[in-house]
Amino acid sequence: MPEQISIISGGVGGAKLVEGLYHTVDSKQLSVIPNVADDDEFYGLWVSPDVDTLLYTLSNRVNRDAGWGIAGDTLHLQSALTQLGRDSWMTLGDQDLATHITRSERLQRGQRPTDITTWLAAQSGIDCRVLLPTDDKWQTRIESSHGVLSMQQYFVKHRHQPTVKNLYHRNITTTGMSAEITPETQQALEHSDLIFIAPSNPLLSIGPTLAINGVRECLTNSSAKRVAVSPLIGGKAVKGPTAEVMTALGYRADVLGIADYYHGLIDTLVIDEQDQQHADALAQQGLEVIIMNTLMDDLTSRQRFARSLLDAIADQQAPRKTEVA
Ligand code: GDP
């Protein structure tokens, strides 16, 4: 059994594996590293959609139908803002806004984003580490058929319809094109003996974290077992534009494309039973392949998946230990 586990995650898809692991291992073993590049400002508030999806999921407050937002939340404030003629394409519920107001106030007082997230997690009763990969304001920019868009403009305002032509990230703290890993995330990755890349959109949800200075190096230099779970099942996303974005940016929209994107960063790729015809080609690239039913609909299937995945990884490692002995 690994002693320290890190998981690099996006929002809704990634949260499924994160939640399964959270309820399967000792949560003190677990460090969750969310994507911050979807963050954006609305009504003067700093909103961190993927971070909050993870916080709401782990504290069991999430709207399970949507996979994001708070269950039973209302939209009174947003209705009032709409009446004042304000843009309201980004749905922000009343309880959800309490998170954004609190985060924004603390940011204005100069607190570190990492510390604010740790505090929010503790307030929600979450007892694993939720570690921002960077304290910089690091945002994705999408060059598209509709011009240059932030992630929320692309995903929510335009419902991921624009054709994606290129992606980049920018640091709005320094106005530069790079961001720095936090000491906490570096330490978590360096001390992990198992690192997961969650079944999230590789380019939009994992890529921004990989593009932070220090993250890729931590993965390439790590002696941990590095395992990615494919977000594509039968070559299709469960939800969202993963396949379309991969194709648009020159990757195959299947598990071979996922392996290509994570080349050099992973030892093992977990693929769905529906994709097992690609297992030999992946093995020829030197990857260990685990074939499972990767659909995680509810908490029971998430826990079952996490347990089976940890068992499969332990089984993989067993023969190697025997050889060494
Ligand atoms: P976002 O940041 O909220 O867009 O979410 P993510 O990037 O974390 O997740 C989006 C990806 O999750 C999509 O590619 C989906 O195919 C994938 N996904 C969602 N649910 C599942 C699931 O149950 N199993 C697997 N394997 N992938 C999933």
Side-chain angles (χ1 to χ4, degrees):
M1 188 69 178
E3 285 181 11
Q4 288 299 325
I5 303 173
S6 290
I7 177 162
I8 300 173
S9 177
V12 176
K16 295 183 178 185
L17 177 57
V18 171
E19 189 178 34
L21 287 170
Y22 183 70
H23 292 286
T24 303
V25 301
D26 175 355
S27 47
K28 300 272 183 298
Q29 293 177 283
L30 190 62
S31 298
V32 181
I33 303 168
N35 171 36
V36 294
D38 288 12
D39 292 15
D40 218 330
E41 194 173 301
F42 296 94
Y43 315 123
L45 302 173
W46 193 249
V47 177
S48 299
D50 285 0
V51 178
D52 291 342
T53 293
L54 288 164
L55 294 178
Y56 298 155
T57 303
L58 292 178
S59 57
N60 199 24
R61 287 189 296 155
V62 74
N63 174 342
R64 298 239 166 228
D65 294 330
W68 53 270
I70 295 180
D73 211 350
T74 48
L75 292 170
H76 299 306
L77 183 67
Q78 197 149 27
S79 306
L81 287 164
T82 309
Q83 280 173 14
L84 289 175
R86 307 289 301 275
D87 253 353
S88 57
W89 51 262
M90 181 75 178
T91 304
L92 299 170
D94 295 314
Q95 294 179 56
D96 190 22
L97 278 157
T99 307
H100 312 318
I101 290 168
T102 306
R103 173 183 286 116
S104 304
E105 276 179 350
R106 286 174 173 252
L107 285 170
Q108 275 158 23
R109 278 190 245 137
Q111 289 187 15
R112 277 181 76 208
T114 290
D115 295 340
I116 299 170
T117 308
T118 300
W119 182 85
L120 284 170
Q123 286 300 113
S124 314
I126 296 167
D127 55 9
C128 69
R129 286 174 293 273
V130 182
L131 300 175
L132 299 189
T134 182
D135 279 324
D136 290 321
K137 284 186 170 170
W138 182 234
Q139 283 185 325
T140 297
R141 287 285 175 272
I142 299 173
E143 288 174 5
S144 78
S145 52
H146 289 47
V148 179
L149 304 173
S150 73
M151 184 60 197
Q152 297 311 322
Q153 287 169 332
Y154 163 73
F155 205 88
V156 182
K157 184 175 185 185
H158 296 292
R159 299 172 189 275
H160 50 78
Q161 292 309 306
T163 305
V164 175
K165 297 178 180 167
N166 192 22
L167 275 186
Y168 60 90
H169 309 98
R170 50 163 228 165
N171 184 336
I172 60 170
T173 315
T174 63
T175 67
M177 302 296 282
S178 65
E180 299 303 319
I181 192 171
T182 61
E184 289 87 346
T185 292
Q186 182 165 355
Q187 206 187 19
L189 289 171
E190 285 176 354
H191 289 92
S192 289
D193 34 19
L194 179 56
I195 300 174
F196 284 112
I197 296 180
S200 293
N201 187 320
L203 288 129
L204 294 179
S205 297
I206 303 295
T209 301
L210 297 177
I212 293 166
N213 285 338
V215 173
R216 197 170 269 275
E217 291 77 354
C218 279
L219 284 172
T220 43
N221 298 336
S222 176
S223 58
K225 184 88 169 169
R226 303 161 306 168
V227 180
V229 178
S230 172
L232 295 176
I233 299 181
K236 295 195 181 79
V238 176
K239 204 175 160 192
T242 301
E244 292 79 354
V245 173
M246 289 184 72
T247 306
L249 296 178
Y251 292 89
R252 288 175 59 126
D254 60 18
V255 291
L256 295 170
I258 304 279
D260 188 17
Y261 189 70
Y262 292 139
H263 180 77
L265 301 177
I266 58 170
D267 307 298
T268 302
L269 183 62
V270 183
I271 65 171
D272 194 84
E273 289 157 358
Q274 294 184 38
D275 298 302
Q276 55 183 308
Q277 71 276 16
H278 296 300
D280 288 345
L282 292 168
Q284 278 162 21
Q285 294 177 22
L287 282 174
E288 296 163 327
V289 182
I290 295 175
I291 303 169
M292 295 174 66
N293 172 2
T294 67
L295 193 61
M296 292 171 273
D297 285 330
D298 52 15
L299 183 53
T300 310
S301 63
R302 292 172 195 188
Q303 281 179 268
R304 196 186 309 124
F305 180 81
R307 177 76 273 152
S308 308
L309 178 55
L310 290 167
D311 288 346
I313 292 167
D315 285 350
Q316 271 186 333
Q317 282 170 320
R320 219 195 268 173
K321 277 183 197 146
T322 317
E323 273 167 31
V324 173

